[in-house]
Amino acid sequence: MNGEAPAPAPADGRRGGARVRSRVEIPLHLADGSWQTAHVITFDGLTDGLEHIAVSYTRHPAVPLVRVHSECLTGDVLGSGRCDCGPQLDESLQRVAEEGGILLYLRQEGQGRRDVSLYDKLDAYSVQDRGRGIAAAGHGLRVADDARDYHAAAQMLRALGVGRVRLLTSNPDKVRQLSWYGIAVEERLDFAGRSA
Ligand SMILES: [Zn+2]
């Protein structure tokens, strides 16, 4: 409803209880081999107290492309073949760079669930490999939709002056939650998917 997303967000984002803490330029090496300089933004006042960051490009359209990515160390950093987080992060950063959007990187393992740690995930892989993890798939963890919380993501967007987004996600719950927290999801986009 409140609309125009300003290009570089001012450091005044007190609405929603969080605000921009700092921003620093970092050149990022993208999947297509090019370099793009992004603003990496930190926040004060996030509801869960974790050190989430936004990767943002200065020329936001009024309704920017947004990706909310939950940390997956094995996928993001090591290129694990047990989940698709690595390719999704690569594609997200590429598309966000091309369109001038925003990637929110949530520093939490377990698809947004705070009480699932990296060790929990690795333990679940181990259980899965011993043939006892029937419900386990993907991350090796089955996370109920209602266990995920994207409140901090909504806070970060508001702090950046963004109230309307085009969301890159295959997860309908993410759309519902962001809407619940006051972010208008005007379009949902799927991954092109290098493997699918
Ligand atoms: Zn993963």
Side-chain angles (χ1 to χ4, degrees), residues 69-76 80 82-86 88 109-111 121 125 138-139:
H69 183 93
S70 291
E71 175 177 33
C72 170
L73 185 137
T74 49
D76 298 346
S80 165
R82 297 190 81 135
C83 63
D84 52 8
C85 300
Q88 286 188 350
E109 286 278 350
Q111 299 184 335
K121 181 175 73 176
Y125 284 163
H139 285 74

Side-chain angles (χ1 to χ4, degrees), residues 43-60:
F43 299 85
D44 278 325
L46 295 176
T47 179
D48 56 14
L50 297 176
E51 293 189 336
H52 308 308
I53 59 167
V55 178
S56 174
Y57 290 83
T58 50
R59 45 186 177 82
H60 296 161

Side-chain angles (χ1 to χ4, degrees), residues 23-188:
R23 59 174 65 222
V24 61
E25 289 190 359
I26 300 183
L28 301 181
H29 194 216
L30 299 175
D32 70 355
S34 69
W35 289 88
Q36 296 279 350
T37 296
H39 292 263
V40 173
I41 300 164
T42 66
F43 299 85
D44 278 325
L46 295 176
T47 179
D48 56 14
L50 297 176
E51 293 189 336
H52 308 308
I53 59 167
V55 178
S56 174
Y57 290 83
T58 50
R59 45 186 177 82
H60 296 161
V63 185
L65 176 68
V66 168
R67 168 66 183 166
V68 181
H69 183 93
S70 291
E71 175 177 33
C72 170
L73 185 137
T74 49
D76 298 346
V77 178
L78 304 178
S80 165
R82 297 190 81 135
C83 63
D84 52 8
C85 300
Q88 286 188 350
L89 180 60
D90 288 345
E91 181 179 337
S92 300
L93 286 168
Q94 183 75 47
R95 289 173 67 171
V96 156
E98 287 168 359
E99 295 196 27
I102 301 167
L103 179 131
L104 304 180
Y105 192 92
L106 304 183
R107 302 288 314 286
Q108 51 196 4
E109 286 278 350
Q111 299 184 335
R113 184 170 161 177
R114 289 187 61 196
D115 58 349
V116 176
S117 71
L118 173 62
Y119 280 14
D120 290 336
K121 181 175 73 176
L122 295 174
D123 289 347
Y125 284 163
S126 178
V127 169
Q128 194 176 19
D129 288 347
R130 292 197 296 271
R132 290 190 272 122
I134 296 163
H139 285 74
L141 298 168
R142 205 165 73 88
V143 179
D145 278 353
D146 59 7
R148 301 174 188 162
D149 186 4
Y150 297 106
H151 189 186
Q155 283 187 304
M156 294 161 81
L157 289 171
R158 278 199 297 273
L160 294 170
V162 173
R164 299 152 61 205
V165 301
R166 298 164 58 238
L167 193 67
L168 180 58
T169 185
S170 54
N171 177 2
D173 182 57
K174 214 176 276 188
V175 176
R176 277 196 299 273
Q177 281 219 27
L178 287 180
S179 303
W180 171 256
Y181 287 121
I183 303 297
V185 179
E186 300 205 344
E187 188 180 358
R188 187 182 69 78

